[in-house]
Amino acid sequence: MKNKPRLSYRIQQFKLAILPPSQAVETGQIRTYLTPPQLVLFRRLQRSEQWHAFSVLHKLLESGQKNGDVLTAALLHDIGKIHYPLNVWERVMIVLVRRVAPRLIKRWGQDTPQGLSKPFVVACHHAEWGADLAARTGASKLTV
């Protein structure tokens, strides 16, 4: 039963990736948490990633989170992916390899972000890329 919530989450992610909402997340709904430079970065995310980040924000708000730095981090947590946007099949490949051979992700993630290694490099490095991008927008240390 432990894997059932995770499977449901992955199915929802997949559906969002192949059928993202037709419109972008409304600026008014996120302007409270993002500065103008952060909003510019956020808009560079793929539409499905914008909606994923918005969903994370709402889950935190529903759980009672009030710290603005944490809520900003929710919206920017995948921002490093703007360097190398991933296709749906590349995302699926990451999930499958992580499930059956997790050590390969780390090994393949040290290669250059091209060809078949690209998704694994993104999986391994998007957090540090995102932290750098967030810091450049003046984000707090907690958000970074």
Side-chain angles (χ1 to χ4, degrees):
M1 292 304 263
K2 179 181 165 189
N3 288 332
K4 196 167 189 169
R6 186 112 178 114
L7 177 61
S8 174
Y9 171 76
R10 289 297 183 193
I11 290 170
Q12 287 301 111
Q13 266 191 319
F14 183 73
K15 285 177 19 183
L16 186 61
I18 61 170
L19 297 169
S22 59
Q23 72 274 11
V25 173
E26 288 185 35
T27 301
Q29 296 176 301
I30 57 177
R31 184 175 282 146
T32 302
Y33 310 104
L34 298 177
T35 65
Q38 291 165 349
L39 184 58
V40 168
L41 283 179
F42 182 83
R43 288 293 178 218
R44 289 180 57 196
L45 285 169
Q46 294 177 14
R47 187 161 292 155
S48 62
E49 291 167 338
Q50 290 181 28
W51 281 101
H52 164 68
F54 187 65
S55 172
V56 172
L57 170 72
H58 272 274
K59 286 178 183 174
L60 286 170
L61 289 169
E62 288 170 4
S63 74
Q65 180 60 250
K66 293 181 181 1
N67 185 308
D69 294 330
V70 172
L71 299 172
T72 297
L75 291 169
L76 298 180
H77 76 273
D78 278 336
I79 206 69
K81 292 179 181 179
I82 67 174
H83 288 310
Y84 301 96
L86 298 174
N87 297 312
V88 172
W89 71 267
E90 291 171 314
R91 295 176 197 199
V92 169
M93 197 165 54
I94 293 166
V95 171
L96 293 176
V97 172
R98 185 171 278 141
R99 183 80 169 142
V100 298
R103 284 184 259 177
L104 289 179
I105 298 262
K106 193 170 187 176
R107 184 179 338 148
W108 293 343
Q110 303 315 308
D111 208 345
T112 57
Q114 60 189 11
L116 289 177
S117 64
K118 175 186 150 191
F120 305 107
V121 174
V122 172
C124 289
H125 296 285
H126 79 275
E128 65 191 70
W129 298 334
D132 180 58
L133 289 167
R136 290 182 194 191
T137 67
S140 73
K141 285 185 179 185
L142 179 59
T143 297
V144 171

